[in-house]
Amino acid sequence: MKVSFKAPLVWATVLLVILLLLPAGGSAQADETVKFTILHTNDEHSDLIPYGPAVDHPQHQTQGGFTRIAYLIKKIKAEKGAVGEPVLTLSAGDFSQGTLFAWLETSLAAELSLMQAAGYDAVALGNHEFDLGPAYRAMALNAAKAKGVKLPILCANIDFSETDPADDALAALWSDEDKAGAELALQPYTIKTLSNGLKVGIFGLLGVEAEAVAPTAQPLSFGNVVGKPTDPVSFVNRVLVAQRMVRTLKEKGCQVIVALTHMGTREERELAKFVEGIHVIVGGHSHDLNYPPITVKHPTTGWETLVVQAGAYTSHLGKLELEYRKGRVHLRSAEAIPIDHNVPTDSATDQVIQGYLAALKAALGVDVLLPYAETDHSGDGGFHLNRYPPMVETNLGDLIADAYLATSRALEPSSPAHMAFEANGVIRASIPPGATGRFSFYDLYRTLPLGGSPFDPTKLGYPLVAFHLRGAEIKGVLEAILDMDNNTFFVQVSGCRVRYRPAGPKNSKLVSLETGDPSSGWSPVKPDALYKVVTNFYTASFLALFGVKPRDASGNEISVGAARLDRDPANPGIQEIKGWEALAVYLRNLPDTDGDGLPNVPASYRFPQRRIAAERWYLAEGATEGGMETFVLVQNPGESPVKVNIRFHTEKGEV
């Protein structure tokens, strides 16, 4: 979702208000030069162990893993400590929700416990910390507190409801003032006085888009305009909070101010333009690798702010070597350290993680790191089940959508679903072939790890839902998704095929939508007909953004919760089946074609199934005028030859 900057009068007024609220120029600081280092991560998503796939560790090359991050943090702190230079270690949010270790949050507090042990100084809240609602986040933080975690959890723009008790448990953890690491608290800022005397103020901020994709955080709010988060006022609310934090921290004697933000690079750059006084923005949410650091100048004062992110999924450790003099922070050096097989694991962290793995085995009854399935066929090494590139059909997306459709049809054979959809934003990880083409249940779960259910909080993961929509409604939603041009909302499909123009005019990108399959054939989707679709609870909840509600077989509107699939209709209530469960069962039921005891993902999934066809370039009618010549430049940046078809439409037809 994008903040609109097309209202010049509104923005002129907003800019005037912000300039009036800007603090006066900072008082002169000591002339001495003081050195310090900031280490940072963001969007760790419970990736405690190396992956790529995890089944390959430690015999083969892997990447990521918080255990490697912990090793580097300890190593760098020791090196800097030897020369008297202090180190700050920060996380910009989304530390949870990404692997099976997230299941231990409310009991063993795996992520925050390891962060404290590694020496983190502060952690921001991200949108995925609210995937299971504020009450669950309160349980997770209280579990961490019970385990002795004392980290400051930062978010300066969180707003608790005065009427809805659903966030009361989290509000009980709130502190207006800095607990300074004496106890775990949710607070707006923390102040660290470093060993060299430098006083650093750090405040947290959750962004506009981050709030927009966190509907389960309600009744909490973070500043978005009700019903229209893209309204510029949503961003202005962040600016005003940030400016207030800068003033507060300066009044408390802070010489260096760090914004620990979960906003995404675009919003973080804008924040630096509007708010004078922030020295460094350590960001997250968009999973960018912002190294070398982005330098943003305030348009009226020339104040410079460094903006950084360190990728995601523990892929990098950001390292900023800085010096402070005369009220400004200057960059000495910057490095995003790749976390791969060249970085050892931390033995103390590994020992703790072994305990976590034992807890998962006890809960699930299986060793989650044993091989579960394979893309290997008779020793060919297997293939990559990829969720990339963005905004296109992927082979992993095909596999997941097929699993949803097959599961729905098996559970409701008398009313089989026509189509299945899953949003790219829910598919969180690929499954690379690794060294042997095998992957574990742990690797499988990383693909669909998010969320839970408001109806059944005992097991993590979004439940599957199946409901009816009219053909016109399905087309309308797809058209709106294409207009958004946002990979988070782009959907993978099964039981249908889509043709569209990515560069077509608004409301005219969708060319055709058909339902069926290659064996039985395809039929155009009829606007007035009802079609049964299956997806997950979270993805279905976004239908409300497009003014669409699920329907029953008679066309009557129903709630998303009423559409949950029931794995056991013979028992009272609804026994949910999660998205990851549907994928696990689908894979387990695939044939073992090479006789090695593991199901084989069919070779037909080696490439996408051609369900989503994009007309890659489209020059709309009227884009050129009479008397003008039109030139088309086609470039092939790759090394392999390609074939390009260019179709020209004239008044005489296609050429």
Side-chain angles (χ1 to χ4, degrees):
M1 299 185 180
K2 297 181 179 179
V3 176
S4 173
F5 291 91
K6 296 181 180 179
L9 180 59
V10 172
W11 273 103
T13 304
V14 167
L15 182 58
L16 177 60
V17 171
I18 292 171
L19 289 175
L20 289 174
L21 289 171
L22 285 175
S27 59
Q29 305 291 337
D31 289 340
E32 63 177 323
T33 297
V34 182
K35 295 181 179 180
F36 67 106
T37 291
I38 293 177
L39 302 178
H40 64 99
T41 55
N42 56 276
D43 301 274
E44 300 88 356
H45 288 295
S46 307
D47 267 318
L48 305 187
I49 61 175
Y51 55 86
V55 74
D56 278 6
H57 180 73
Q59 289 84 8
H60 306 288
Q61 293 184 4
T62 51
Q63 65 183 91
F66 187 80
T67 179
R68 288 170 170 158
I69 296 278
Y71 170 87
L72 276 178
I73 290 172
K74 293 177 182 180
K75 178 176 181 288
I76 293 169
K77 281 193 170 186
E79 293 170 348
K80 295 294 185 180
V83 295
E85 182 177 332
V87 176
L88 274 173
T89 308
L90 308 172
S91 166
D94 275 4
F95 54 85
S96 64
Q97 290 292 308
T99 74
L100 284 166
F101 291 113
W103 287 40
L104 306 176
E105 266 204 290
T106 57
S107 56
L108 301 177
E111 297 89 348
L112 290 178
S113 294
L114 290 181
M115 283 181 159
Q116 176 163 289
Y120 276 70
D121 295 287
V123 177
L125 284 177
N127 54 290
H128 284 294
E129 268 70 79
F130 298 101
D131 278 356
L132 286 90
Y136 182 89
R137 182 48 45 199
M139 284 193 295
L141 293 181
N142 279 316
K145 197 171 184 177
K147 289 291 180 182
V149 176
K150 299 180 180 180
L151 285 171
I153 311 298
L154 305 184
C155 188
N157 61 322
I158 192 169
D159 187 14
F160 298 96
S161 172
E162 296 181 1
T163 57
D164 193 328
D167 61 7
D168 285 358
L170 191 63
L173 288 164
W174 175 260
S175 172
D176 287 322
E177 297 297 325
D178 181 18
K179 293 289 186 179
E183 63 176 289
L184 183 147
L186 177 57
Q187 53 193 64
Y189 64 86
T190 189
I191 297 173
K192 300 287 292 186
T193 301
L194 306 184
S195 58
N196 55 15
L198 192 66
K199 200 169 184 179
V200 181
I202 309 158
F203 70 91
L205 208 61
L206 191 105
V208 173
E209 180 178 297
E211 181 179 359
V213 295
T216 49
Q218 296 176 6
L220 292 173
S221 57
F222 301 86
N224 280 8
V225 175
V226 176
K228 193 178 181 184
T230 53
D231 192 302
V233 175
S234 297
F235 181 72
V236 171
N237 289 337
R238 270 72 175 183
V239 171
L240 298 178
V241 170
Q243 198 60 68
R244 185 173 69 247
M245 284 292 98
V246 170
R247 289 199 304 272
T248 297
L249 293 171
K250 283 186 174 181
E251 288 167 1
K252 291 182 179 293
C254 293
Q255 298 154 294
V256 175
I257 296 175
V258 177
L260 194 57
T261 63
H262 196 82
M263 301 178 75
T265 300
R266 184 183 57 80
E267 290 183 41
E268 287 152 4
R269 294 182 71 139
E270 291 301 316
L271 188 72
K273 290 179 184 177
F274 283 108
V275 182
E276 183 197 27
I278 301 174
H279 294 92
V280 182
I281 294 178
V282 174
H285 183 60
S286 53
H287 297 193
D288 294 321
L289 188 61
N290 290 335
Y291 272 82
I294 300 168
T295 301
V296 180
K297 284 190 177 184
H298 192 281
T300 57
T301 67
W303 179 277
E304 292 187 351
T305 300
L306 296 174
V307 179
V308 292
Q309 272 194 48
Y313 308 112
T314 64
S315 64
H316 292 80
L317 175 67
K319 181 184 179 185
L320 283 175
E321 293 182 321
L322 307 166
E323 64 182 24
Y324 171 83
R325 64 178 184 271
K326 295 183 179 180
R328 299 295 176 104
V329 168
H330 302 273
L331 182 65
R332 292 186 288 143
S333 68
E335 179 184 10
I337 306 172
I339 307 302
D340 55 23
H341 60 280
N342 294 308
V343 180
T345 62
D346 178 64
S347 58
T349 302
D350 285 337
Q351 289 180 13
V352 176
I353 290 173
Q354 287 303 313
Y356 296 155
L357 288 169
L360 289 173
K361 184 176 182 179
L364 297 172
V366 295
D367 184 340
V368 299
L369 292 178
L370 288 177
Y372 186 87
E374 62 182 342
T375 55
D376 179 81
H377 290 264
S378 301
D380 66 3
F383 53 89
H384 202 131
L385 289 167
N386 209 335
R387 71 184 185 108
Y388 291 115
M391 300 296 292
V392 299
E393 178 187 356
T394 65
N395 62 344
L396 178 57
D398 288 342
L399 180 66
I400 289 171
D402 285 350
Y404 288 5
L405 193 62
T407 300
S408 174
R409 288 175 173 176
L411 292 176
E412 298 179 338
S414 62
S415 175
H418 297 91
M419 300 173 246
F421 299 93
E422 187 53 286
N424 278 355
V426 176
I427 304 172
R428 305 298 292 186
S430 303
I431 303 179
T436 63
R438 297 181 171 190
F439 56 92
S440 66
F441 180 74
Y442 180 90
D443 298 303
L444 178 154
Y445 183 84
R446 286 185 78 245
T447 66
L448 294 169
L450 298 181
S453 167
F455 309 97
D456 178 15
T458 59
K459 186 163 55 178
L460 299 191
Y462 293 122
L464 290 187
V465 292
F467 50 85
H468 291 76
L469 291 175
R470 299 197 187 281
E473 292 173 324
I474 300 173
K475 287 183 174 181
V477 170
L478 290 176
E479 190 74 76
I481 288 172
L482 293 172
D483 282 338
M484 293 170 79
D485 194 26
N486 186 327
N487 185 59
T488 297
F489 292 92
F490 190 90
V491 290
Q492 304 294 320
V493 304
S494 179
C496 63
R497 64 181 185 181
V498 180
R499 187 175 186 85
Y500 76 105
R501 298 187 183 109
K506 186 176 181 180
N507 297 323
S508 299
K509 289 182 171 63
L510 184 65
V511 176
S512 64
L513 174 63
E514 299 171 301
T515 185
D517 58 62
S519 59
S520 62
W522 303 94
S523 301
V525 169
K526 300 176 182 178
D528 295 331
L530 283 170
Y531 296 90
K532 190 173 183 179
V533 302
V534 57
T535 184
N536 81 70
F537 180 88
Y538 177 76
T539 300
S541 69
F542 282 95
L543 287 174
L545 286 178
F546 312 113
V548 174
K549 291 184 178 180
R551 300 178 184 273
D552 62 19
S554 300
N556 301 310
E557 291 183 350
I558 59 174
S559 68
V560 178
R564 286 173 294 150
L565 282 174
D566 189 353
R567 69 164 70 243
D568 189 3
N571 286 326
I574 296 177
Q575 288 71 48
E576 296 177 349
I577 182 165
K578 310 293 188 178
W580 61 263
E581 286 183 289
L583 180 60
V585 172
Y586 185 75
L587 287 170
R588 181 55 75 188
N589 288 330
L590 291 173
D592 174 14
T593 58
D594 53 8
D596 62 359
L598 293 175
N600 297 87
V601 179
S604 58
Y605 285 107
R606 186 179 293 271
F607 305 104
Q609 310 276 310
R610 296 186 177 182
R611 300 168 184 172
I612 304 175
E615 295 179 3
R616 283 291 164 203
W617 183 82
Y618 175 69
L619 187 62
E621 183 180 357
T624 59
E625 298 181 3
M628 302 291 289
E629 292 188 40
T630 301
F631 291 88
V632 178
L633 172 65
V634 179
Q635 292 180 303
N636 173 22
E639 297 179 355
S640 303
V642 297
K643 180 180 179 181
V644 178
N645 294 318
I646 301 177
R647 300 176 182 177
F648 294 92
H649 293 262
T650 70
E651 68 276 5
K652 297 180 180 179
E654 184 178 293
V655 179

